[in-house]
Amino acid sequence: MSKGPARNEKLLKDLAKLIGEKKVSNKIPDLISYSHDYWPISFFWFLEGSIPSMPDVVVFPESVEDVVKVMRYAYENNIPIYPYGGGTGVLGGAVPEYKGIVIDLKRLREIKIHDYDLYVEVGAGTNGMLLEMYLNKKGYTLGHFPQSLYASTVGGWISTKAIGQFSTKYGGIEDMLLGLEVVVPPGEVLHFKPNPRAAVGPDLKRLFIEAEGLLGIITKAYLKIWPYPEKRVLMSFGSDSLEDALNSVRNIMRRGAKPAVIRIYDKIETKKWFYMVKKAKNKVGTIIILEGDPVLVEAEKRIVEEEFSNAIPLGEEPVKYWLEARFNVKELSEYLPLGIVIDTIEISVPWSRAVDLYNDVINAMRSVKGTLLAFAHASHFYPQGVCFYFIFGGIPPKESSPVEYYREIWRVTMETTIKHGGAISHHHGIGRMRAEWIMQDLGKPTFSLFRKLKKTFDERNILNRGNMGL
Ligand SMILES: Cc1cc2nc3c(=O)[nH]c(=O)nc-3n(C[C@H](O)[C@H](O)[C@H](O)COP(=O)(O)OP(=O)(O)OC[C@H]3O[C@@H](n4cnc5c(N)ncnc54)[C@H](O)[C@@H]3O)c2cc1C
């Protein structure tokens, strides 16, 4: 048992007795580590020297039985409990707002490949990169590459409805999910079998996708896998306008081709990713990766070339550069301490509203006093529409604090998205940051139903209390 100051010693002792001394801690460094996730607001707390959400105890279960024991204890004693994966969520979804127990799932990390049936059975705490490396060694891929791959976990992916950079071919985590094991209050284990499809009542396992730890604790998942791609083709193009590039991709989608990666950068962001290509000047750059069976890849290549015939081909260099740099993420920790506030906001919208929404959000961000830069890329595509990923940076004016400036940018972006009928989140989820707008996005009756559902699953509201506004 890790010894810390006399902070809720009874809780620590009880939990140690239940699951073992080596699986519990109330050491101050642990409590601080688990007091936040990757939400910029929690960075601001650190910069101000405050820790408003320190848990009482952190537990590290090593089996589903451990999770059941902790859940039962929390339920019987009415103690809040917060599931924690990699802590890479960017909206405060894992912040232990009401103190209590943080349950870190990372020791649940067994991996078993079922290669004949083409799926993997994997512990919810398994690290994304380690899972992908393991699959690659055996000749497979999951096809799921969120930018946080090195630090996020399977349970976190499902709980936030994550999506990876290769989504146009492989889909989001919801498309990969075949089955689940979940512990729900007061301590029941639900098991959803990994069948290819089932029509046996409503598909209840889907309730846990983007439930952000409010309905249960995921302990295991069954995910689809693919043979490692035989062939890969890299392409890039420069279009005259964002509208032209979006139209090319819309047509590719309509024809049923599925490039693994498509990323359209607006003119500002094109400067970053196409800096080495002179012809990209003043263009909207698109990078594309095709992969898989050589016959399919060849057919898709033809479709892409046809649909981008109104653009200039810009070669492989920008794509190679992106492949090298795609997991580099250090801006937040570099800029925030310097007083420069930066963040990203993703939303989705049908094709018919895409260009208008892009223009309105960029203008709304720029209209907030202090903004230095606002730009975007589109990086996930569907026959019906697109996900935009907005990036902003600014120095708060004298009259407002960094947090006030930050919240104002979020407010104008959320309101503009709602005005256009878009979804206020495409893949980061709601957490504590977007809770203010969830009812507006879903509508009051739907949100009330969600509230009832939460009450049915968790009548004492022990699971991630306060998250998503519940
Ligand atoms: C630099 C960076 C890049 C990112 N890029 C992407 C990206 O490309 N695509 C994308 O989708 N997201 C991205 N994200 C966001 C984040 O990585 C994802 O939301 C990821 O799915 C979170 O996983 P995690 O294991 O870190 O979860 P955590 O942050 O630990 O938790 C997220 C939420 O899920 C709940 N939770 C965690 N594990 C469980 C479980 N086992 N059972 C029940 N609830 C659980 C938590 O309570 C919390 O509400 C990025 C984040 C960062 C910091």
Side-chain angles (χ1 to χ4, degrees):
M1 179 166 33
S2 308
K3 289 268 186 304
R7 239 193 113 76
N8 217 332
E9 288 299 330
K10 178 174 173 345
L11 183 55
L12 186 77
K13 276 191 192 138
D14 286 353
L15 289 166
K17 215 161 135 189
L18 278 177
I19 61 170
E21 296 193 345
K22 288 193 175 143
K23 303 179 201 167
V24 297
S25 170
N26 70 348
K27 271 186 180 168
I28 288 293
D30 285 334
L31 301 185
I32 293 176
S33 297
Y34 288 91
S35 67
H36 66 99
D37 55 9
Y38 214 77
W39 185 23
I41 294 275
S42 56
F43 263 76
F44 292 130
W45 294 337
F46 271 60
L47 291 174
E48 287 161 4
S50 76
I51 308 173
S53 298
M54 210 144 82
D56 296 307
V57 173
V58 185
V59 298
F60 306 91
E62 291 178 6
S63 64
V64 63
E65 291 77 22
D66 285 348
V67 176
V68 168
K69 284 178 191 164
V70 175
M71 174 90 81
R72 280 198 187 282
Y73 178 87
Y75 182 82
E76 279 158 18
N77 295 283
N78 205 355
I79 297 171
I81 179 168
Y82 308 85
Y84 202 100
T88 66
V90 284
L91 299 155
V95 168
E97 188 177 350
Y98 292 91
K99 307 192 187 294
I101 305 167
V102 166
I103 182 161
D104 180 325
L105 283 311
K106 282 195 283 292
R107 291 189 190 171
L108 302 184
R109 55 182 180 220
E110 320 73 38
I111 306 176
K112 188 170 172 197
I113 296 177
H114 298 259
D115 58 355
Y116 195 76
D117 292 328
L118 215 53
Y119 70 86
V120 64
E121 183 178 342
V122 58
T126 307
N127 171 279
M129 192 60 182
L130 295 181
L131 172 61
E132 182 62 22
M133 281 164 59
Y134 184 82
L135 289 172
N136 292 172
K137 267 199 191 148
K138 307 278 179 188
Y140 296 98
T141 180
L142 185 63
H144 185 67
F145 304 93
Q147 200 191 17
S148 56
L149 186 70
Y150 284 82
S152 52
T153 65
V154 169
W157 294 344
I158 297 165
S159 303
T160 56
K161 202 175 185 183
I163 199 163
Q165 296 154 340
F166 286 51
S167 67
T168 313
K169 179 177 175 67
Y170 298 101
I173 196 69
E174 72 279 14
D175 300 305
M176 299 162 193
L177 188 68
L178 275 179
L180 266 184
E181 182 184 80
V182 192
V183 180
V184 294
E188 298 293 335
V189 182
L190 309 184
H191 191 250
F192 300 96
K193 291 177 289 184
N195 278 310
R197 189 170 189 270
V200 191
D203 195 351
L204 293 174
K205 72 173 173 300
R206 298 213 153 245
L207 287 176
F208 297 94
I209 300 173
E210 221 306 89
E212 298 193 17
L214 285 165
L215 305 180
I217 299 180
I218 298 167
T219 46
K220 190 198 281 188
Y222 301 90
L223 302 174
K224 296 175 196 172
I225 53 174
W226 295 90
Y228 195 79
E230 268 181 63
K231 185 176 165 89
R232 195 177 249 194
V233 168
L234 313 182
M235 308 167 92
S236 78
F237 300 93
S239 305
D240 287 336
S241 68
L242 181 67
E243 196 166 5
D244 282 356
L246 287 170
N247 259 330
S248 298
V249 172
R250 189 170 66 91
N251 288 331
I252 291 170
M253 295 289 100
R254 284 170 86 93
R255 291 177 68 179
K258 290 196 169 175
V261 176
I262 311 179
R263 301 174 74 85
I264 301 177
Y265 298 104
D266 70 4
K267 286 189 178 172
I268 294 185
E269 210 181 340
T270 295
K271 288 181 190 162
K272 172 177 174 186
W273 295 105
F274 287 72
Y275 76 91
M276 73 300 279
V277 185
K278 272 200 186 133
K279 281 194 286 181
K281 201 168 171 214
N282 208 25
K283 295 283 180 196
V284 165
T286 300
I287 64 174
I288 292 187
I289 300 178
L290 304 164
E291 68 174 33
D293 185 284
V295 178
L296 289 176
V297 167
E298 204 42 51
E300 288 180 329
K301 184 166 172 268
R302 270 186 59 189
I303 291 177
V304 170
E305 282 164 349
E306 281 170 20
E307 296 304 338
F308 269 96
S309 58
N310 60 349
I312 30 171
L314 295 175
E316 293 191 345
E317 273 314 291
V319 196
K320 285 184 179 157
Y321 175 55
W322 175 79
L323 278 168
E324 264 170 39
R326 66 194 173 121
F327 294 120
N328 291 353
V329 271
K330 52 193 170 75
E331 286 89 354
L332 200 65
S333 44
E334 268 180 3
Y335 287 109
L336 284 193
L338 300 176
I340 302 169
V341 177
I342 60 161
D343 197 16
T344 61
I345 305 179
E346 30 63 58
I347 53 92
S348 76
V349 69
W351 286 115
S352 56
R353 314 292 304 162
V355 175
D356 286 348
L357 179 125
Y358 165 83
N359 286 326
D360 286 357
V361 170
I362 292 287
N363 288 334
M365 284 179 159
R366 286 186 184 147
S367 72
V368 178
K369 208 169 159 193
T371 300
L372 301 170
L373 266 181
F375 52 92
H377 57 253
S379 44
H380 306 282
F381 298 90
Y382 310 86
Q384 293 73 27
V386 55
C387 158
F388 278 114
Y389 192 88
F390 293 98
I391 301 161
F392 67 89
I395 298 179
K398 277 199 187 100
E399 64 274 17
S400 61
S401 69
V403 172
E404 281 166 342
Y405 167 76
Y406 179 79
R407 288 196 182 276
E408 182 57 11
I409 288 273
W410 269 86
R411 186 186 67 72
V412 298
T413 307
M414 294 295 93
E415 287 179 2
T416 309
T417 304
I418 289 167
K419 192 183 88 195
H420 281 284
I424 58 168
S425 174
H426 173 264
H427 57 266
H428 286 161
I430 298 296
R432 286 170 172 81
M433 185 66 216
R434 280 187 169 112
E436 198 181 329
W437 298 280
I438 183 174
M439 199 196 309
Q440 256 178 293
D441 184 299
L442 290 179
K444 213 170 169 187
T446 309
F447 187 67
S448 302
L449 186 63
F450 183 28
R451 199 188 284 283
K452 281 185 205 155
L453 197 68
K454 165 74 172 157
K455 195 141 180 70
T456 306
F457 271 76
D458 179 17
E459 56 173 324
R460 297 191 181 168
N461 197 9
I462 54 164
L463 273 169
N464 211 342
R465 190 178 291 171
N467 195 26
M468 281 177 159
L470 290 174

